[in-house]
Every structure is written in structure tokens, then in C-alpha cells.
Amino acid sequence: MPTHQAPRTPMPRASGHTATVSRDRGITLVEVLITVAVMGVVLVPVMYALMSSIKASAMSMESAEVQTVLQNAADRVNRAPRGACYQPYVEAAAVSEWGSAAAGTVTVQEHRYVPDVDDGVVEWVPATCSSPEPVAGTVQSVLITVTSPYMNVSRSVEVIKSDL
């Protein structure tokens, strides 16, 4: 009795097989070095841009804090009685933002405008906390300078107080 066999399909040759096996063994050291160099060329500018962005963000936040202290201090000085020592008012504004006045540098310079009626010369006289209260009709110029705790940002504002 005859047996039926399925037709045979030709098998691939083994000669091409050995060349494929030798190329699949992995990557060479040169390929690894090229990959690392390309990654370095791409990642260094990205990391530099990231660091610049972080620094700009920190500077912006610090500037906003200084501006807040400055506005708060100007408001406190404006509401303070004329002739008062304004340093504690400005330091209180710094404490409300940073927790201590020492966290930032706070400077107050005060001058009083004193008109000289005799010779017509106008002069600004430096005032201190121990100066007597200004007489009616004088003008006070209070320069407030606030520097951030990290000393990166410094801003100033001048508050003019007058009863004219």
C-alpha cells in the first residue's frame, strides 16, 4: 500500500546563518562611546537651560518677597505718627514676611525739610529717632531700602510724609 507523504519545502541554507549570528552578539565599544557622546551633546544644553530656569524662578520669587516687604513697610511708615522712629515699623514688615528682621537687611534714612525763611535756602536735615517731633508744615522724606536674605535683590522706596 502506498503511503502518502506531504510535499517537502526547501530548508533555508545554513551558509547565511553564520553571518547573522556573528552580528547579533551585541554592540561594540565604539557604538557605546558614540551613544554616550551624543547623549552628552544633547543633555548638557538641556541641563543648562533647566538650571537657568530654576535660578530665574528663585530670583523672581525673591524679588516678589522684597517687593512685598517694601510695600508693607511703606504702608506702615505712612500710617505711623509723624516724627516717630520709623526703623521698628520697617523691621516689623520684614518680620511679617521672613520671620525675623535679620533675615533681610533693612535700612531707613530719614530727612526733614526745613525751609529757611531768612535767606530762602531750602535744606534737608537728617533726622534721627531722638530728633524732636517736626514742627507743623515740615516735610519728611523717609527712604526705605530692603535687601533679600540671600543678598541677591535690593529695592528702595521713598515715602514722603507731610501735613501741608
Side-chain angles (χ1 to χ4, degrees):
M1 217 188 234
T3 58
H4 291 92
Q5 291 182 343
R8 289 183 146 191
T9 56
M11 297 288 283
R13 295 203 167 162
S15 62
H17 184 65
T18 57
T20 306
V21 170
S22 66
R23 296 204 84 211
D24 285 341
R25 288 187 186 176
I27 55 176
T28 64
L29 180 60
V30 174
E31 292 171 331
V32 170
L33 291 175
I34 290 172
T35 303
V36 169
V38 168
M39 286 178 60
V41 167
V42 170
L43 287 179
V44 167
V46 169
M47 293 302 288
Y48 182 75
L50 181 65
M51 290 302 294
S52 296
S53 174
I54 290 171
K55 286 180 183 177
S57 175
M59 184 70 81
S60 175
M61 185 171 143
E62 206 169 329
S63 180
E65 287 177 353
V66 168
Q67 198 67 28
T68 300
V69 170
L70 203 57
Q71 289 175 349
N72 192 357
D75 185 50
R76 288 172 188 246
V77 167
N78 194 33
R79 288 184 286 132
R82 284 189 55 235
C85 183
Y86 298 119
Q87 186 72 28
Y89 292 96
V90 176
E91 288 176 358
V95 168
S96 69
E97 181 68 26
W98 291 313
S100 74
T105 305
V106 175
T107 307
V108 176
Q109 295 178 353
E110 180 187 355
H111 291 81
R112 293 188 179 138
Y113 168 72
V114 180
D116 192 349
V117 182
D118 295 337
D119 59 4
V121 177
V122 176
E123 62 178 316
W124 286 95
V125 178
T128 62
C129 289
S130 61
S131 296
E133 186 168 327
V135 296
T138 61
V139 177
Q140 291 178 299
S141 168
V142 182
L143 178 67
I144 304 167
T145 303
V146 176
T147 304
S148 68
Y150 301 109
M151 303 294 183
N152 292 331
V153 179
S154 182
R155 301 279 189 270
S156 296
V157 68
E158 185 174 18
V159 178
I160 304 294
K161 293 184 64 103
S162 171
D163 62 353
L164 298 177

